[in-house]
Amino acid sequence: MASGDIAQITEALAKTHVGEVELSYKGRGLKLDNAESVKEMVQEIEQCRGLQSLRLEGNTLGVEAAQAIAKSLEAKRELEQCHWSDLFTGRLRSEIPPALKSLGCSLMTSGARLTHLDLSDNAFGPDGVKGIESLLKSSACYTLCELRLNNCGMGIGGGMVLASALTECHKQSSAAGSPLRLKVFIAGRNRLENDGATALAKAFKLLGSLEEIHMPQNGINHPGITALATAIKHNPNLQVLNLNDNTFTKRGSIAMAEAIRYLQCLKVINFGDCLVRSEGAIAIAGALRKGLPFLRELNLSFGEICEAAAVVVAKAVRGKADLEKLDLNGNCFGEEGCEALREVMESLNMEDLLGSLSDDEGEPEDDEEEEEEEDDEEKEDEEDTEENGVNGTKDVIEEKEEPHYSSELTSFLISPSAEKLISLGVKRIQLIEQQVDVSDASKVSEVFLKISSVYKDEPEVKQAIFESTDALLRKAFSNSHSQSYSFISSLIVNLGLLKSEDKKIKKVAVLPGHLLALEHAAAQEFFPADQAGVLEEFVSRNGKVLESCCNARDALKTTLAKRTTA
């Protein structure tokens, strides 16, 4: 064999590595201030052929030391993974951006193509994000799969800079023929708030490749949550969604429920400590029933969820073969509620999957506290009425909707009576179908209650009511699945079976006609069985609220039970 051939084989073998080539200085607690302090490290980096992974976490790096290390990385084209978390402990914040810029420039110079970049637990703030901005936009990050920036104090400004950099990276990499396919994004504890989250949501929507999103403890409220919900619909391969310890409330929860329904690969959902509340839990249960076949973990802990809503969630995970844990700890069940929930899980042969309920908050106080809140709400409503110049005797429907209804329908809704409903004649169904906006669940609920309130045990009146309410609900249930769940939720609130977070939504004085019209509708094919199941849980567990209409209540319970067991 010729000497040239031997040399080529030797060189090829030298470039061949079994497994990953890694240098690790992890957790040594080294204080690296200057070039002399990293002299040995630099030599090891320079001598390491085919270096793919460099672990520097758990040390403290100064500007001069960073520049020396950066110089040694300029020839490391094979470098793919930079594990550089907890790297600036004790450093001035002003030292961190130039250190990051030096390291980033070296990676760009080397021609490296990163797959993993971890800068977590570096309190570098918005300026630190600017220190890696150029790197994130460069070809070095076209191949990035995992970006970890947990606990970096980025703030709103840093979140916006990061979103812009990811967007630019996607644009440039797409132009180069290989779009950025980021899979894992971690940015918990960064004070991103709504604006930062909304900016990142736009980037996520563009990427469409995410498999894991971790953004806990960021002070995000429902506008930011809604933006994220819109974005994740465009990431069909998402498997892990962790938004723990943000603030969903009803609006954010409903938006997120609508989004996760599309994510058939989703395995882990962590909405713990997110103030999902009962109405949000009902919406999420609706998403569980319609999708998420591979769900493994669901965390709705510490969300101010009541017993009946928790049971709805528990029944919604029936048939999830991969489920390993359902966490509903820290909610508002009370001892009897906790036991009832355990019994439901046992009936589903899933009792081992229910997490601890040791931190349950107990049943919410209903009496004095509720009366005080109602007094406060009345004062607020009076103030709103005075400011807007609206007649305080008119209800929500008239204030919001009068301009959108015909004069005949408006007249009925202002002052409902059986005579007015009958006088509408055959066109009443057409008026209802054309003029009631079924995309607004609260409006549908209120119109339903207005119509059914004029119930009389007279054939003509009953027929007019049932035809009208059936037409209304048939159209409402033909709308999106999440909106139909929102309607059931609104109806439950209006009937006094659930307290809403929305102070403008008030419970009505329940009449037999309300329940009889609902019982008639529930018996029809257009009324979804799963919605009947939700309604049954609240009527069964909070039925004492309907004691004044006990006969109609019992008839409704019987029909709902038949629908859910059919």
Side-chain angles (χ1 to χ4, degrees), residues 1-2 15 67 76 86 92 101 120 129 133 157 218 227 241 256 303 339 419 467 510 514 519 522 539 560:
M1 185 178 289
K15 293 180 179 179
Q67 292 170 343
K76 300 302 173 183
D86 190 19
L92 296 174
K101 284 182 180 179
S120 298
V129 184
E133 183 179 8
N218 269 298
L241 181 58
M256 195 57 70
E339 187 56 34
E419 291 73 20
E467 287 178 351
V510 181
H514 294 144
E519 186 269 334
V539 172
L560 292 172

Side-chain angles (χ1 to χ4, degrees), residues 248-261:
F248 283 33
T249 61
K250 174 185 173 181
R251 283 179 284 184
S253 299
I254 290 174
M256 195 57 70
E258 174 67 14
I260 62 176
R261 191 163 61 90

